[in-house]
Amino acid sequence: MDSILPGVLNCINEGIVIITEDLEITYWNPFMEKLSGKWSGEVLGQKVDQILPSLCRPFFYSAVKRLATVGNPVFFSAAMHRKLVSQDHRVNLKMNRVSVDGKVALLLEFIDVTNQFQRISQLRDYVSQLSHLNSQLKQKEKVIEKLAYYDKLTGVANRALFDKFADKYLSIAKQRGTMLGFMFVDVNEFKLINDTYGHNTGDKVMTRVASLLTESTRKNDIVCRYGGDEFLVLLPDIRTYKDYQAIAERIETNKKQCIVQDGYNICLSLSIGISFYPDDGATLDDLIAKADEYMYVNKHESRERQDNM
Amino acid sequence: MLVADKISREDILTELFNIGVGQAASTLSDIIDKRIGLTIPNVRILDAATGKIELDKYLLQVAEGAVMVSSISFDSQLEGKVSLLFPADKMHHFIDLCLHENRDDLVDNLEFTDIDFDTIKEIGNIVINSIIGELSNTVNIPVEYTLPEIDVLNNASADHFVNCEDCRLVLMMFLAFNIEGTEIAGAVVINMTLKSLDEILNEIDRLYNGR
């Protein structure tokens, strides 16, 4: 049996080193030659801490002392000890005590885990790439959502988002028995503003109107650009007409101020029509049509007032 | 056994284990080249049932009951099992501190690589060696064991650690690791036979109380 043991140790794919209690190397297998780049002939009889200078540290000496006296095994990980045998290999080191005929030898097993490190490093790179791609996708999703649901010029909701919320709010109003307001807003003489000050200024005025409506309404109200110069405002959870009046008064106050845009003094005039669920209809089409109708009445009245003035 | 005797034995064990973990802290500091603090505030000797209740209290404080465990069974004259528990969600940060790395993306993740396991195996080996080794040296009773097994347990309960039929007693202690101001609270559970603990306590009495 004894005669085959050296042959077995020579075949093992682990660096096997046997040392005495005072660190002298008595065996150095071929795999250890490969790991360290040092031939058995040049290291036998030498001190292991001289051949592997990374072991020239207090923790190694106290581990050897404890192992030799108490005999409990020791483990040094490749992660904590980066260059145990060479620059190119990452190895775990296991140390055990072997006692034969009253003589104590220390068995050092150097287990090559370089491939593990490479594989984990590759996986971390993939995870990092995936995480980067994921955050890019999330950003793009946000952009797509913005394009799909928000008006490019004014930044307020578009019809698609309005339809989504109008359906939802109408169902809630029906369940809870609350009112739902639809406010149709039209910028009077917008064509004249475009013709007089140019389309660029006209676009900016449209954006100012959208801001005016957003500032005058509540947090949960939805301001939507419905068409060229038309806005629809969805007013959920209206409990009494006073709730609506408060909003209408804020719009009225804000719109009376003439605005300065691109150096021009432009006086805004808005026509507003409002319909309420359930008084003016039970479907979205009915309620929007009614608000539109009231808006045209308001527009007509304001034209008449202007003509009379 | 008088209550005063029991307190005194627990105090002696606390002192002994602190000497051991002090050496472990010094070894780890040398390895990772960082100042490490390692203390055991107190050691309690409990019967298995009370030990389980106390351990479950600790596990309840750990996120999702997930712990990383280094454990070894030991035999020869002393018989039992020692487990070193750490909250799993803190382990990536702990490992990063030991390896001088900084991987924000992995913090609080409960997935561990073989490299992480090997790192904890080394730390577990050093700490357990220090605790059991110091005890074995002091009472002069040999203990034999292998390298620790590392595992991550989700929803761990005390039954995982106090489960040996013959081991009726539990030595329970908390372990505070401090690396660069980051404190990680672990627990050490030694489940051992009555005979083993009796041998230790008798030896302690002989050494310290002259009985």
Side-chain angles (χ1 to χ4, degrees):
Chain A
M1 191 68 184
D2 285 353
S3 60
I4 67 163
L5 278 179
V8 172
L9 292 178
N10 285 347
C11 294
I12 286 177
N13 279 338
E14 268 181 23
I16 301 286
V17 177
I18 298 173
I19 58 171
T20 60
E21 281 176 89
D22 52 1
L23 308 181
E24 189 185 311
I25 299 167
T26 56
Y27 180 76
W28 188 272
N29 81 341
F31 199 83
M32 193 60 196
E33 291 178 340
K34 193 179 137 194
L35 283 179
S36 64
K38 296 179 197 304
W39 301 107
S40 168
E42 63 179 300
V43 302
L44 290 179
Q46 305 279 321
K47 301 271 184 186
V48 73
D49 55 338
Q50 284 169 357
I51 300 300
L52 302 173
S54 60
L55 297 179
C56 202
R57 296 271 301 272
F59 70 83
F60 178 71
Y61 299 129
S62 63
V64 167
K65 194 176 164 195
R66 189 179 275 257
L67 180 63
T69 51
V70 184
N72 298 124
V74 179
F75 179 79
F76 295 124
S77 66
M80 301 249 268
H81 307 269
R82 306 215 165 186
K83 292 160 194 165
L84 266 182
V85 293
S86 72
Q87 297 273 0
D88 306 327
H89 292 94
R90 308 294 293 262
V91 295
N92 287 337
L93 169 57
K94 266 165 75 177
M95 291 165 58
N96 277 284
R97 185 178 70 173
V98 184
S99 301
V100 182
D101 300 332
K103 281 188 179 173
V104 169
L106 306 180
L107 172 70
L108 279 56
E109 294 171 70
F110 292 88
I111 303 146
D112 191 2
V113 288
T114 314
N115 287 343
Q116 269 181 29
F117 274 78
Q118 284 168 348
R119 204 179 63 232
I120 288 165
S121 167
Q122 272 176 354
L123 281 172
R124 283 200 180 126
D125 285 347
Y126 292 146
V127 169
S128 159
Q129 282 173 23
L130 279 174
S131 157
H132 181 63
L133 276 175
N134 193 32
S135 63
Q136 277 185 329
L137 273 174
K138 277 185 182 160
Q139 275 179 341
K140 281 185 179 162
E141 258 176 31
K142 275 186 191 163
V143 172
I144 290 166
E145 191 183 341
K146 187 125 183 104
L147 288 173
Y149 288 119
Y150 293 89
D151 179 54
K152 201 176 165 187
L153 173 67
T154 60
V156 296
N158 63 16
R159 284 177 73 154
L161 191 62
F162 178 86
D163 289 343
K164 207 171 157 180
F165 276 93
D167 269 339
K168 183 179 153 193
Y169 283 152
L170 187 58
S171 304
I172 293 172
K174 283 178 181 175
Q175 276 170 15
R176 294 184 185 167
T178 51
M179 289 195 288
L180 177 64
F182 289 80
M183 186 191 281
F184 221 115
V185 180
D186 182 88
V187 183
N188 292 333
E189 310 299 349
F190 184 66
K191 186 174 178 306
L192 191 63
I193 293 172
N194 266 341
D195 292 347
T196 312
Y197 307 110
H199 286 275
N200 196 24
T201 301
D203 284 350
K204 289 175 188 166
V205 168
M206 195 57 70
T207 305
R208 298 282 292 268
V209 173
S211 302
L212 178 155
L213 292 173
T214 306
E215 284 159 21
S216 308
T217 49
R218 300 164 304 172
K219 196 181 161 191
N220 289 337
D221 297 337
I222 308 280
V223 176
C224 152
R225 188 170 176 213
Y226 204 68
D229 59 351
E230 289 173 337
F231 291 89
L232 242 176
V233 186
L234 190 62
L235 306 163
D237 204 24
I238 297 275
R239 306 223 171 243
T240 66
Y241 286 106
K242 272 188 185 169
D243 291 345
Y244 157 68
Q245 273 168 348
I247 299 164
E249 275 168 21
R250 283 201 294 271
I251 295 175
E252 196 64 32
T253 309
N254 288 339
K255 83 167 188 183
K256 274 180 184 163
Q257 296 161 0
C258 287
I259 60 166
V260 177
Q261 185 63 58
D262 297 341
Y264 303 117
N265 204 13
I266 302 168
C267 287
L268 282 179
S269 165
L270 304 179
S271 294
I272 299 176
I274 173 97
S275 67
F276 290 101
Y277 166 82
D279 293 359
D280 296 304
T283 66
L284 285 180
D285 287 346
D286 288 349
L287 289 159
I288 293 168
K290 211 70 179 170
D292 192 24
E293 187 187 321
Y294 292 149
M295 186 271 291
Y296 273 102
V297 171
N298 181 252
K299 189 181 273 281
H300 183 69
E301 285 171 356
S302 98
R303 269 189 191 143
E304 274 190 344
R305 272 199 304 275
Q306 258 188 339
D307 290 347
N308 289 339
M309 282 168 73
Chain B
M1 184 190 299
L2 292 171
V3 174
D5 282 347
K6 196 178 164 201
I7 291 168
S8 143
R9 286 163 163 183
E10 287 176 336
D11 285 350
I12 292 167
L13 284 173
T14 306
E15 190 84 19
L16 277 182
F17 289 146
N18 272 299
I19 294 170
V21 295
Q23 286 164 0
S26 151
T27 303
L28 277 171
S29 299
D30 178 31
I31 290 173
I32 69 172
D33 206 16
K34 275 183 185 175
R35 198 182 179 85
I36 288 186
L38 202 49
T39 49
I40 289 176
N42 64 64
V43 178
R44 296 170 70 191
I45 304 169
L46 305 166
D47 60 71
T50 316
K52 279 186 185 180
I53 292 168
E54 290 300 311
L55 186 54
D56 274 330
K57 275 188 203 163
Y58 167 77
L59 292 169
L60 270 178
Q61 294 164 19
V62 173
E64 297 168 24
V67 283
M68 188 173 238
V69 188
S70 307
S71 59
I72 54 162
S73 294
F74 51 88
D75 49 33
S76 192
Q77 248 177 282
L78 297 181
E79 272 182 81
K81 181 181 173 185
V82 54
S83 307
L84 171 61
L85 285 67
F86 287 113
D89 61 333
K90 303 277 188 292
M91 291 317 282
H92 283 297
H93 186 48
F94 180 60
I95 292 166
D96 280 0
L97 284 171
C98 291
L99 303 184
H100 297 259
E101 285 183 357
N102 187 11
R103 293 167 288 151
D104 288 340
D105 52 328
L106 290 173
V107 171
D108 292 349
N109 179 334
L110 294 185
E111 299 294 326
F112 295 93
T113 65
D114 289 349
I115 297 172
D116 297 329
F117 274 53
D118 284 343
T119 307
I120 296 303
K121 188 183 227 177
E122 178 169 355
I123 293 168
N125 178 241
I126 291 168
V127 173
I128 292 173
N129 257 345
S130 75
I131 290 173
I132 300 297
E134 192 59 36
L135 186 65
S136 162
N137 271 352
T138 307
V139 299
N140 203 21
I141 302 174
V143 181
E144 280 179 18
Y145 52 86
T146 56
L147 290 172
E149 298 288 327
I150 311 296
D151 208 350
V152 174
L153 300 172
N154 292 314
N155 301 313
S157 77
D159 290 329
H160 284 104
F161 313 103
V162 185
N163 53 10
C164 152
E165 266 188 28
D166 299 329
C167 303
R168 305 279 167 79
L169 286 169
V170 175
L171 284 185
M172 172 110 188
M173 59 201 101
F174 294 104
L175 182 75
F177 251 102
N178 190 316
I179 306 180
E180 293 185 326
T182 299
E183 193 153 295
I184 289 153
V188 182
V189 184
I190 310 176
N191 188 198
M192 61 168 76
T193 59
L194 193 59
K195 185 171 164 285
S196 298
L197 191 67
D198 265 350
E199 278 193 51
I200 294 170
L201 295 179
N202 288 339
E203 194 59 27
I204 283 175
D205 277 346
R206 199 180 63 76
L207 287 171
Y208 292 88
N209 298 329
R211 289 179 210 161

